[in-house]
Amino acid sequence: GLKEIRIGVIGYGIRSNVLIGAFGAFEQIALAAVADPSAKARDKAARDHPGAALFEDFRQMLDSGGVDAVLIESPPNTHAECAIEALSRGVHVLCDVPAVHEIDEAQRLWDAGTRSKAIYSFGATTNFWGYVDTCVALKDKGLLGKPFYCEAEYVADLGDLPTVTPWRKHYEPIRYCTHSLGPILKWVDEDLREVSCFDTGSHVHGDPDDHDAMVAIYRTQSRVVVKLLISFCNSHPAPFHRYVYHGTKGYFEKTHSLAGGETQVLFSTKEIYGMDGLTRLPVTESRPELSDVPGVGEHGGADYAMLKDFTDAIAGIKAPAVGMREALRMTLPGLYALKSAQMGGSVVRIAYPWDNG
Ligand SMILES: NC(=O)c1ccc[n+]([C@@H]2O[C@H](COP(=O)([O-])OP(=O)(O)OC[C@H]3O[C@@H](n4cnc5c(N)ncnc54)[C@H](O)[C@@H]3O)[C@@H](O)[C@H]2O)c1
């Protein structure tokens, strides 16, 4: 059989419960331990998973020698530290988004990754969505041409969620850019280099520390422009991710939600006779080929695909689909955008740990 992977979960909240739900599809994954500083969360973990060892501090869990890999599902401002500590002990990491919370954590994470033999895999859920691969394939076949302008929008009114999960309260939405930039950066092969960003402040609740929406405009070295809108406090009735690709030969769009919450995937190309009008493609975020797999989890099979990718990487079958470089490519632009917004929208240059060699 397959070699067992003893997983320690860091942070036992909403998201870790979703992903643990998908563990069942993998015979080699064993939930070995849970670390969470909240006694309430540990009590729930003890009830849900009586066999798992419980720890207040994730470092005790790492030092226990009882875990081969960690799933990092604690709040974003803890991700870099948890990943660095795990990597430095040779423990594999599947880290949820975003990769870092502050710009200066990036270099330390990068160095820890370079020194470690362990796998670092990034929980970039949306990178695994069906239509994201469709767009990659259309581009690879030359039907879209080179992208020159792309857009991503993540609009979801979180309602009471910032009260239930306190890290979301006053969290600047542009920090949460990976679900938007992940797919865009699969289509645009260059790093984002410059950014200007504006913040609406709080019109909805009138809370001076709140942010209804933030908009960032990026540019790459070869002058591809990317516009990003993120809003977690708004009056839109149905949450959505929207993605737009304007290429030299064609156009691709995953729309916002229409009446009933439905979204559409649209495509046109100048390269095929009769396809220069917008055509709706029969593809969504989900992966029909996974529909028979038990417990594939949420996000249309993306969670399953992500865990499969992680277990394959640990088994040495392949490199992780979204490793540390990709993780930082899609995380750092949000943090530099925040810096720009704090400077009234001034253009800020984006630096990456790999810039100097
Ligand atoms: N990829 C996705 O689609 C997706 C979706 C939702 C959330 N997330 C990510 O999941 C993470 C958790 O979000 P959530 O909604 O589950 O939040 P949550 O508040 O429900 O859970 C976080 C848990 O982490 C615990 N925690 C806090 N500090 C900790 C520490 N130092 N060590 C260990 N545990 C600690 C908290 O006590 C809590 O139980 C976030 O980073 C978020 O970005 C990703």
Side-chain angles (χ1 to χ4, degrees):
L2 294 159
K3 192 169 184 297
E4 186 184 61
I5 304 168
R6 298 168 303 163
I7 294 198
V9 172
I10 301 180
Y12 195 74
I14 296 174
R15 176 68 179 152
S16 55
N17 274 274
V18 172
L19 277 173
I20 289 167
F23 282 6
F26 298 87
E27 58 168 298
Q28 73 273 44
I29 291 185
L31 174 59
V34 171
D36 195 309
S38 150
K40 209 173 139 203
R42 290 198 306 280
D43 287 349
K44 183 171 186 316
R47 284 194 303 276
D48 297 347
H49 307 284
L54 299 174
F55 297 91
E56 198 172 333
D57 186 331
F58 74 94
R59 284 183 197 79
Q60 295 165 351
M61 180 174 83
L62 291 171
D63 290 335
S64 73
V67 299
D68 308 306
V70 288
L71 176 64
I72 302 176
E73 298 298 340
S74 44
N77 63 354
T78 64
H79 290 183
E81 190 192 3
C82 293
I84 290 168
E85 296 287 329
L87 291 171
S88 71
R89 290 165 174 83
V91 171
H92 304 299
V93 171
L94 176 55
C95 182
D96 212 313
V97 302
V100 295
H101 186 69
E102 301 294 349
I103 290 168
D104 64 11
E105 291 172 335
Q107 186 69 48
R108 286 189 285 126
L109 179 64
W110 183 253
D111 292 343
T114 310
R115 280 193 298 264
S116 180
K117 284 201 179 71
I119 301 286
Y120 178 94
S121 179
F122 191 48
T125 320
T126 63
N127 273 46
F128 293 86
W129 280 348
Y131 60 76
V132 175
D133 283 357
T134 308
C135 188
V136 170
L138 291 169
K139 184 194 172 197
D140 289 350
K141 289 182 195 316
L143 299 176
L144 294 173
K146 186 185 176 316
F148 57 88
Y149 174 68
C150 292
E151 287 180 22
E153 297 180 355
Y154 184 8
V155 175
D157 181 34
L158 296 186
D160 285 342
L161 199 56
T163 316
V164 185
T165 57
W167 67 266
R168 286 188 172 86
K169 187 143 182 88
H170 300 151
Y171 186 76
E172 299 91 341
I174 205 73
R175 286 184 192 272
Y176 211 73
C177 60
T178 62
H179 287 339
S180 308
L181 293 181
I184 297 285
L185 291 169
K186 275 184 104 167
W187 306 333
V188 174
D189 297 329
E190 288 170 277
D191 295 340
L192 302 174
R193 278 296 162 193
E194 291 173 288
V195 60
S196 170
C197 179
F198 287 99
D199 179 359
T200 62
S202 175
H203 299 258
V204 178
H205 296 138
D207 175 340
D209 295 321
D210 235 344
H211 313 265
D212 298 336
M214 294 178 83
V215 179
I217 309 218
Y218 296 97
R219 196 163 73 161
T220 71
Q221 179 87 36
S222 80
R223 305 186 62 162
V224 179
V225 171
V226 173
K227 188 178 88 180
L228 172 63
L229 160 68
I230 304 193
S231 171
F232 293 136
C233 187
N234 53 72
S235 307
H236 198 284
F240 66 86
H241 288 274
R242 174 170 175 264
Y243 303 94
V244 171
Y245 180 123
H246 285 269
T248 51
K249 302 278 174 61
Y251 177 84
F252 180 93
E253 176 173 2
K254 152 70 173 60
T255 70
H256 61 275
S257 12
L258 310 167
E262 179 203 35
T263 70
Q264 298 189 351
V265 175
L266 305 172
F267 159 70
S268 73
T269 182
K270 294 176 184 164
E271 293 295 290
I272 300 177
Y273 178 80
M275 292 290 286
D276 53 349
L278 278 183
T279 299
R280 187 171 176 190
L281 300 179
V283 59
T284 67
E285 67 187 39
S286 53
R287 296 186 165 274
E289 74 274 17
L290 298 179
S291 60
D292 291 341
V293 181
V296 292
E298 284 180 4
H299 299 115
D303 290 344
Y304 171 86
M306 211 166 74
L307 285 170
K308 174 87 170 70
D309 184 77
F310 186 49
T311 57
D312 284 353
I314 291 174
I317 297 169
K318 56 187 279 302
V322 193
M324 193 180 287
R325 182 167 177 148
E326 287 309 306
L328 290 171
R329 269 185 96 212
M330 63 179 96
T331 296
L332 282 171
L335 305 182
Y336 281 95
L338 178 60
K339 194 171 165 185
S340 165
Q342 287 164 346
M343 291 161 49
S346 301
V347 175
V348 172
R349 194 159 170 83
I350 303 175
Y352 300 92
W354 50 88
D355 286 347
N356 310 313

